[in-house]
Amino acid sequence: MKFEYRYLSEERAAEIDAMGIITPRGQKLRINYTKCITNEDESIVFQIIFHAMGYYVENGIDQYLLFYKGYKYVLTMHGFWTKKKENGEIKYHTKWIIESEIEEEEDCPSKEVLSVLIEILCERSRHLTTDIIVEGTVEIIYRGERIK
C-alpha cells in the first residue's frame, strides 16, 4: 500500500469534520487545515490529534486518529527522535512505542490494523512533521515487543 503525507481533499476533510471529533483539549478536530498520512483513495487517514509536549521535541506522548475500513482508532504513542551525523549526512532515527491496545473488529483483525499502522509510522518518520523528507531508521514497539 502506498501512503502520502499531504492535505486531504476538501470532500474527505469535510466528511471527517462533520463527525465532530473532539480532541483531548476539548476542541473540535479540524483535519482540513493540517497534513495527514493517507492513501490514494483517502479511505485510510492517520492524523495527530494531541501533542502532549508540542512540536520539535525529542520525545513526547501524542494521540493519533486512524481511520481504517470505516473504523476509528484513537492511539496513544510515544515518539522518540534522535539525529546523528553519519558519513557527513544527518540521519534521523525514530522509535515508536504504541501504548494503546488495537481493538479487534469483526472484519478487521488487530494484526491487519497493526501492519497498516507500521507502514504509516514509517512514512510519518520520513517527514518528521515537516515538508522535508529525511532518512534514517524506524523502530516500532507494540505490547512490549519490537515489531520493526
Side-chain angles (χ1 to χ4, degrees), residues 26-148:
Q27 301 166 325
K28 183 177 180 278
L29 176 66
R30 300 217 178 267
I31 201 159
N32 57 332
Y33 297 114
T34 55
K35 289 189 174 182
C36 305
I37 301 284
T38 188
N39 59 338
E40 189 174 307
D41 68 1
E42 298 183 337
S43 61
I44 300 170
V45 177
F46 182 74
Q47 170 66 42
I48 189 156
I49 59 174
F50 180 69
H51 284 287
M53 297 178 67
Y55 288 97
Y56 308 111
V57 293
E58 288 190 12
N59 61 60
I61 303 166
D62 298 325
Q63 282 190 328
Y64 295 84
L65 185 62
L66 172 65
F67 288 98
Y68 179 67
K69 283 194 171 178
Y71 296 103
K72 179 177 78 173
Y73 300 89
V74 176
L75 303 165
T76 300
M77 291 185 268
H78 298 266
F80 299 92
W81 308 81
T82 57
K83 75 178 181 180
K84 297 177 186 169
K85 197 168 194 176
E86 297 174 9
N87 299 326
E89 295 180 351
I90 299 293
K91 301 272 183 168
Y92 287 83
H93 301 277
T94 57
K95 179 179 181 180
W96 292 95
I97 301 174
I98 303 166
E99 294 290 328
S100 302
E101 187 78 22
I102 297 173
E103 297 174 27
E104 289 278 336
E105 300 292 350
E106 189 174 312
D107 60 342
C108 190
S110 61
K111 277 187 170 184
E112 181 180 335
V113 177
L114 184 60
S115 71
V116 168
L117 183 59
I118 290 167
E119 288 183 55
I120 288 169
L121 291 176
C122 289
E123 181 65 20
R124 187 168 191 286
S125 293
R126 293 180 61 233
H127 288 276
L128 290 174
T129 69
T130 69
D131 291 329
I132 301 168
I133 295 176
V134 298
E135 293 184 23
T137 60
V138 181
E139 179 181 4
I140 300 171
I141 298 178
Y142 177 62
R143 299 173 74 185
E145 185 177 321
R146 185 176 191 269
I147 53 176
K148 177 167 173 42

